[in-house]
Amino acid sequence: MANSRRRRISPGIPLTDAHRTLFASVQKRGAQSVCFFNNKGGVGKTTLVANLGAELSLNFEARVLVVDADPQCNLTQYVLGDEEVLETYNNSNDPESVYSVIRPLSLGKGYGTNLPIRQSEAFGFDIIIGDPRLALQEDLLASDWKDARGGGMRGIRTTFVFADLVSKAKDLKYDFILFDMGPSLGAINRSVLLAMDFFVVPMSIDVFSSWAIRNIGNTINIWQRELKTGIALAEDPAELESIDRTRTIRFLGYVTQQHRERTEEDADLDVVESDEASETRRKRIVQAYEEISEKFPEQISDSLGRFLDCVEINPFLGNVRHLGSLAPKSQSQHSPMISVRGTGRFVQSRKQAREIYRDIARRYLENLEKFLR
Ligand SMILES: Nc1ncnc2c1ncn2[C@@H]1O[C@H](COP(=O)(O)OP(=O)(O)OP(=O)(O)O)[C@@H](O)[C@H]1O
Ligand SMILES: [Mg+2]
């Protein structure tokens, strides 16, 4: 069994009874698959999947499977140690990865049998690692999508490749199945989204994120409609019996990230600007951020409200503030921010990270509980 109990490190804040009760109530409803998606790049998707996954796994002691469905493989690089990355990708031409899940289909062999799962001791979760070769499957998924929309079984089978993965992972009794995705509205992401129970939108506080939300809402809607038509026309409906076709994806919430680094230009300006001028400039930037983020709830409700299934949740899951060099430190140590080793300023930023991810985990569970009630 892949996710055997392993040694737990102590990543800070103990759980309260309320947290335990909340988790137990979500856990008993069975595994939920959730993808973290925004077609805008660099908004903190990978960082959130890795650190929320670690919080749920290390502190809530949940059984978590994380899937790196982004051909950039940033999540894999973050989670695996440097040696493990080299050993896996340098010494083997055919590492066991998310590509192994999809490859048999492109060879016309149907779905593979076993999931290529490995464990991360530092993050506490299990992972299906990413693979740059996944990008090669964009074409297959795109051409099979045309077939799927017309009811072709080959197309439908390919489109449901991640649904098959999720159903196998659910059989393995995980509590949470989390997918990291690349920043695109391409065929791989379509196939992932159509397989999920829920999606979370990580977003940066800028005007482009507002546009991205609109794209996400409209696109998922069109995809779901087209798939429904394809399924209604399916050449062999009996083959679809094992797939839950009544389910549509629901919106679990959004996380804002404020991780703009001070640029060299900022530093230069500090030298030439008087204290007063730099304070005015700082206030202007803060105000601009506030004006943009104030509009988010309404924009979210307009664009993504239709994915709430009339369930009343607060979709705001939290704000990840800029945590300075804790993020790169956590990447170089290949451990989550809540258990980065370090003294001095790292003590304070690690404490903040522990509070931030605990809060996000709590709201995430609260929303799941409302949907699953
Ligand atoms: N809270 C934070 N504080 C400081 N830096 C952060 C924080 N969160 C993320 N970052 C940094 O921001 C960068 C982008 O984050 P991340 O890779 O998670 O975004 P992404 O949305 O997954 O990007 P992509 O679209 O390329 O997949 C990373 O270099 C990461 O280290
Ligand atoms: Mg990423």
Side-chain angles (χ1 to χ4, degrees):
M1 169 83 220
N3 194 21
S4 61
R5 290 284 131 199
R6 49 201 158 235
R7 190 174 61 84
R8 301 285 184 190
I9 54 171
S10 167
I13 321 176
L15 288 191
T16 62
D17 286 346
H19 287 128
R20 281 184 225 284
T21 311
L22 178 62
F23 171 54
S25 142
V26 171
Q27 191 182 34
K28 70 173 185 241
R29 318 268 159 173
Q32 303 299 320
S33 55
V34 182
C35 68
F36 293 72
F37 179 64
N38 190 330
N39 62 303
K40 186 175 187 301
V43 294
K45 297 180 283 294
T46 301
T47 312
L48 181 61
V49 173
N51 285 282
L52 175 61
E55 169 66 17
L56 290 168
S57 181
L58 297 171
N59 283 322
F60 284 79
E61 304 212 348
R63 296 168 50 81
V64 181
L65 175 68
V66 166
V67 182
D68 186 355
D70 179 1
Q72 296 183 101
C73 303
N74 293 338
L75 178 77
T76 303
Q77 224 168 340
Y78 184 10
V79 171
L80 263 47
D82 293 331
E83 260 176 53
E84 210 177 344
V85 166
L86 278 174
E87 210 175 279
T88 307
Y89 295 90
N90 218 23
N91 297 346
S92 163
N93 285 327
D94 190 18
E96 289 262 279
S97 68
V98 68
Y99 182 74
S100 331
V101 174
I102 198 166
R103 179 78 177 136
L105 270 179
S106 62
L107 299 173
K109 293 184 181 163
Y111 300 128
T113 42
N114 291 323
L115 296 182
I117 294 172
R118 59 169 83 196
Q119 298 170 1
S120 161
E121 191 172 326
F123 285 79
F125 50 61
D126 285 357
I127 180 168
I128 296 184
I129 60 171
D131 197 312
R133 292 173 298 174
L134 188 60
L136 305 174
Q137 301 294 350
E138 281 278 5
D139 282 351
L140 168 82
L141 287 161
S143 67
D144 276 8
W145 174 243
K146 289 201 190 98
D147 188 44
R149 283 187 306 181
M153 288 315 296
R154 180 198 154 96
I156 293 177
R157 225 174 284 133
T158 313
T159 302
F160 279 131
V161 63
F162 292 106
D164 181 69
L165 185 163
V166 166
S167 123
K168 290 191 173 107
K170 286 186 176 178
D171 288 345
L172 293 174
K173 300 276 177 272
Y174 285 101
D175 300 313
F176 303 105
I177 303 159
L178 312 181
F179 274 70
D180 185 27
M181 300 162 75
S184 92
L185 288 169
I188 296 171
N189 284 352
R190 175 171 54 223
S191 181
V192 171
L193 273 157
L194 290 171
M196 293 295 119
D197 297 313
F198 295 96
F199 69 105
V200 166
V201 179
M203 52 202 286
S204 51
I205 301 178
D206 59 44
V207 285
F208 298 109
S209 274
S210 317
W211 285 77
I213 310 168
R214 260 180 271 168
N215 289 345
I216 293 169
N218 291 334
T219 310
I220 298 182
N221 210 28
I222 293 169
W223 286 343
Q224 291 203 140
R225 231 180 23 230
E226 291 182 340
L227 183 63
K228 208 169 153 196
T229 311
I231 287 172
L233 297 170
E235 291 158 357
D236 181 6
E239 197 190 314
L240 296 175
E241 267 163 21
S242 60
I243 298 165
D244 177 6
R245 285 168 289 136
T246 50
R247 179 185 43 74
T248 52
I249 192 166
R250 288 160 293 172
F251 173 54
L252 196 59
Y254 68 100
V255 175
T256 53
Q257 325 258 341
Q258 214 171 343
H259 48 78
R260 177 179 172 274
E261 279 280 16
R262 272 167 63 85
T263 61
E264 281 181 26
E265 194 195 340
D266 292 337
D268 288 349
L269 275 167
D270 281 354
V271 179
V272 290
E273 279 179 346
S274 66
D275 280 355
E276 202 183 322
S278 94
E279 182 56 19
T280 311
R281 215 168 76 82
R282 199 190 61 77
K283 278 194 183 141
R284 227 180 30 234
I285 292 174
V286 170
Q287 197 185 345
Y289 270 136
E290 280 169 3
E291 280 170 16
I292 292 169
S293 60
E294 269 168 16
K295 290 189 194 140
F296 279 171
E298 195 183 329
Q299 288 167 344
I300 292 269
S301 158
D302 286 350
S303 307
L304 303 177
R306 68 188 116 168
F307 300 102
L308 290 176
D309 256 5
C310 301
V311 176
E312 286 215 9
I313 56 157
N314 174 3
F316 178 67
L317 296 173
N319 176 50
V320 182
R321 54 189 288 196
H322 195 283
L323 289 164
S325 42
L326 189 71
K329 184 94 168 167
S330 133
Q331 285 162 12
S332 65
Q333 287 185 6
H334 303 283
S335 37
M337 294 199 219
I338 55 173
S339 46
V340 156
R341 294 178 304 283
T343 52
R345 64 201 151 104
F346 289 114
V347 175
Q348 182 58 19
S349 54
R350 187 178 55 216
K351 180 170 174 282
Q352 288 171 344
R354 287 174 174 173
E355 288 164 0
I356 289 170
Y357 289 106
R358 173 61 52 83
D359 262 5
I360 294 177
R362 177 182 51 78
R363 296 198 184 112
Y364 177 91
L365 291 170
E366 280 170 0
N367 284 0
L368 269 177
E369 197 201 26
K370 287 192 180 134
F371 274 110
L372 302 175
R373 216 169 253 170

